Amino acid sequence: MTQNVVREIVSNNAVLYLPDGQTIELPVITGTENEKAIDIGKLRSQTGHITMDPGYGNTGSCQSTITFLDGEKGILRYRGIPIEQLAGNARFTEVAYLIIYGKLPNQQELDAFRDSLNQHALLHEDMKHFFSSFSGQAHPMAILSAMVASLSGYYSDESAVDTNGGLDVNAARLMSKIRTLAAFSYKKSIGQPFVYPRDSLSYCANFLRMMFAVPSRDYEPDPVVVEALNLLLILHADHEQNCSTATVRTVASSHASLYASISAGILALWGPLHGGANQKVIEMLEHIRADGGNIRKFIDLAKDKSSGFRIMGFGHRVYKNFDPRATVIKNACDKVLNKLGIEDPVLDLAKQMEEIALSDDYFVERKLYPNVDFYSGIIYRAIGIPVDMFTVMFALGRLPGWIGQWKELMDDPTHRITRPRQVYQGQTVVDYVAIENRD
Ligand code: CMC
């Protein structure tokens, strides 16, 4: 008999046999989509053992009602609604409301939410000076995170841990101001005057105007561009317990404010293995193009572990068949570029790379497919977003998810501070040695 494995599932309990002869019955939690989890909450107190799961690939950190994801079947739903339906029909503000408040808003609720976003779109005028303090080399994600953290200095009273009235106002503030912050940081980087938000415009059109309008000229956002942005933001709006969301929840679990938690989430998103991959994909494709466009060479490089090179925008911890977001974005890519009359040679390179990789044993065996970041940058570039702002766009899209997850954690009376354990492998007890006696 194999020891130290979970041996049996008895009705709603799992029985674990440990190598020292102990046996423990652990409750099994079943989700609404029949996902099963063994609750090990009492494992250490009853047996002295902990579990080990670096990277948390097998660890559930919470029970959530926000997003359902089936990586084998390529399913993604927000509050039960398939991502494909939302992408084809909804506005980003509706989806944000859905994720934060748990239901699609009726017209009255949506109007009130939009009014609230408009009411909070401006920044405190003092904050404009902050932009001058960053070095010219500062990455927009560093600026965004710092600016979001700074908001707590202006709105500290309500921002503590209130998930009722306080949440409404802070959620609206963040949703609205993050867009203004992102656009202002771009304007600062190119030396143009800030363009203030305009209430009559939709969420996406308003952002595009703040990004691209100049005082000397009229600006009318292109509806094709507005639609493309709306689609991308919806597809990024939540993705259950990914690295940045887990970060937001971890920070929130210490009862840090919404602003502090989201500022931390932005920094987690910045990494190239997470949201930062969208910038890296375009840089990689441009590099391949400049190198002569030999895709096979780079596929082989990615297969050679000693190279340290990975195909950016490929692979996913959870999706092992296809990433449904990537499917929608790939289809949108052709349409958006056609409508805008743009030919991007990098799109052809990306398609070739996907085709070659998907027929290569290395990628097939490891179930590595294009993820959300593989094609999104091609659309962002086509609609005029500079490459180093790509991950900022991801953050704008992911914000409702972070807010909804923050609220869910705070509303859960059973939540505890996040505090993983470890197995210590260092030196056992040794005596302190005075400096003159050290080797
Ligand atoms: N190119 C080449 N090989 C890869 C890649 C890749 N992009 N991704 C994974 N592998 C290999 C990896 O070397 C390993 O091989 P082996 O089994 O021989 O050691 C195997 O596939 C499993 O990889 P892993 O690193 O254990 O998988 P993970 O679940 O820990 O990491 C990932 C997932 C997304 C970090 C990883 O696939 C990756 O680095 N992808 C490139 C970065 C990227 O596109 N990130 C965006 C993710 S989607 C947006 C979001 O963050 O939500």
Side-chain angles (χ1 to χ4, degrees):
M1 180 175 75
T2 317
Q3 296 259 295
N4 72 345
V5 292
V6 175
R7 285 266 302 143
E8 297 164 28
I9 304 223
V10 186
S11 64
N12 278 338
N13 284 340
V15 183
L16 177 67
Y17 297 93
L18 295 166
D20 58 6
Q22 295 185 82
T23 304
I24 179 172
E25 267 194 50
L26 298 165
V28 172
I29 297 168
T30 305
T32 51
E33 291 284 350
N34 214 25
E35 291 172 305
K36 305 240 183 267
I38 297 164
D39 177 351
I40 56 153
K42 299 261 185 303
L43 184 62
R44 187 173 180 280
S45 62
Q46 292 190 2
T47 71
H49 290 68
I50 61 167
T51 54
M52 180 57 86
D53 184 22
Y56 303 143
N58 294 285
T59 297
S61 61
C62 60
Q63 298 188 54
S64 178
T65 60
I66 301 177
T67 290
F68 173 67
L69 197 169
D70 182 329
E72 276 70 35
K73 296 189 184 138
I75 293 173
L76 175 61
R77 300 182 197 135
Y78 302 154
R79 304 283 189 186
I81 305 178
I83 189 74
E84 294 80 4
Q85 288 184 27
L86 291 167
N89 298 295
R91 309 309 305 164
F92 176 60
T93 35
E94 278 179 279
V95 173
Y97 189 102
L98 170 73
I99 287 174
I100 297 170
Y101 296 109
K103 68 182 269 283
L104 282 171
N106 60 30
Q107 193 59 54
Q108 204 181 355
E109 288 162 336
L110 186 60
D111 290 347
F113 187 51
R114 284 186 175 143
D115 283 352
S116 188
L117 294 182
N118 282 334
Q119 194 187 330
H120 294 292
L122 290 170
L123 300 182
H124 191 293
E125 281 292 295
D126 289 354
M127 287 193 83
K128 288 198 309 188
H129 304 299
F130 292 6
F131 290 102
S132 314
S133 311
F134 291 100
S135 106
Q137 276 85 51
H139 193 281
M141 286 295 274
I143 298 177
L144 191 69
S145 171
M147 295 301 274
V148 167
S150 312
L151 289 172
S152 60
Y154 290 87
Y155 308 108
S156 55
D157 283 343
E158 296 112 315
S159 66
V161 289
D162 179 4
T163 60
N164 298 312
L167 186 274
D168 290 347
V169 77
N170 284 307
R173 261 189 201 134
L174 260 173
M175 284 280 306
S176 201
K177 289 190 198 307
I178 199 169
R179 175 183 57 167
T180 314
L181 288 169
F184 278 23
S185 67
Y186 172 61
K187 285 297 194 192
K188 182 73 197 164
S189 74
I190 57 169
Q192 286 186 0
F194 298 135
V195 175
Y196 282 76
R198 182 165 288 178
D199 288 2
S200 57
L201 294 174
S202 72
Y203 189 91
C204 292
N206 207 348
F207 171 73
L208 290 165
R209 187 174 164 280
M210 284 192 273
M211 284 284 286
F212 301 122
V214 285
S216 50
R217 215 175 304 136
D218 289 339
Y219 175 83
E220 196 61 47
D222 182 335
V224 174
V225 175
V226 174
E227 284 312 307
L229 182 58
N230 183 64
L231 176 82
L232 289 172
L233 295 187
I234 289 174
L235 292 173
H236 285 93
D238 192 53
H239 212 235
E240 49 122 295
Q241 304 312 315
N242 57 84
C243 177
S244 55
T245 303
T247 301
V248 168
R249 278 187 176 257
T250 296
V251 177
S253 78
S254 74
H255 292 187
S257 77
L258 182 64
Y259 301 111
S261 308
I262 295 218
S263 169
I266 291 169
L267 293 179
L269 184 74
W270 186 9
L273 298 188
H274 191 11
N278 59 10
Q279 173 175 348
K280 297 290 171 201
V281 170
I282 287 285
E283 289 171 357
M284 173 190 76
L285 292 170
E286 282 298 358
H287 175 70
I288 296 174
R289 190 159 83 102
D291 191 67
N294 183 349
I295 305 258
R296 174 56 66 189
K297 174 177 155 189
F298 287 90
I299 295 271
D300 289 343
L301 202 62
K303 289 157 63 176
D304 172 8
K305 303 282 180 203
S306 66
S307 73
F309 174 76
R310 282 188 168 197
I311 306 286
M312 299 313 285
F314 252 75
H316 199 276
R317 169 62 61 80
V318 183
Y319 291 119
K320 298 298 169 199
N321 191 338
F322 65 94
D323 180 337
R325 303 166 300 173
T327 310
V328 176
I329 294 177
K330 185 183 175 189
N331 289 336
C333 245
D334 282 322
K335 286 187 196 139
V336 173
L337 268 63
N338 274 339
K339 281 188 191 164
L340 295 174
I342 293 173
E343 273 186 34
D344 190 341
V346 151
L347 177 57
D348 289 336
L349 274 184
K351 286 182 179 170
Q352 282 175 46
M353 183 163 242
E354 177 181 355
E355 204 180 317
I356 296 175
L358 295 190
S359 57
D360 188 296
D361 284 350
Y362 174 95
F363 291 86
V364 173
E365 280 160 16
R366 289 168 182 76
K367 300 185 172 81
L368 302 171
Y369 294 87
N371 59 49
V372 67
D373 292 322
F374 195 62
Y375 288 103
S376 64
I378 295 173
I379 302 190
Y380 282 134
R381 191 156 75 163
I383 65 174
I385 307 289
V387 176
D388 67 355
M389 289 280 289
F390 286 3
T391 316
V392 168
M393 304 309 297
F394 194 149
L396 257 60
R398 183 54 54 84
L399 184 61
W402 289 333
I403 296 172
Q405 301 267 355
W406 186 93
K407 174 172 157 48
E408 191 173 68
L409 176 123
M410 289 299 194
D411 282 343
D412 175 2
T414 66
H415 91 258
R416 301 170 75 199
I417 189 165
T418 302
R419 205 304 185 184
R421 290 196 177 253
Q422 63 166 16
V423 174
Y424 176 69
Q425 300 285 17
Q427 178 68 269
T428 52
V429 66
V430 285
D431 289 325
Y432 174 80
V433 178
I435 194 160
E436 59 276 16
N437 298 330
R438 291 177 209 161
D439 295 336

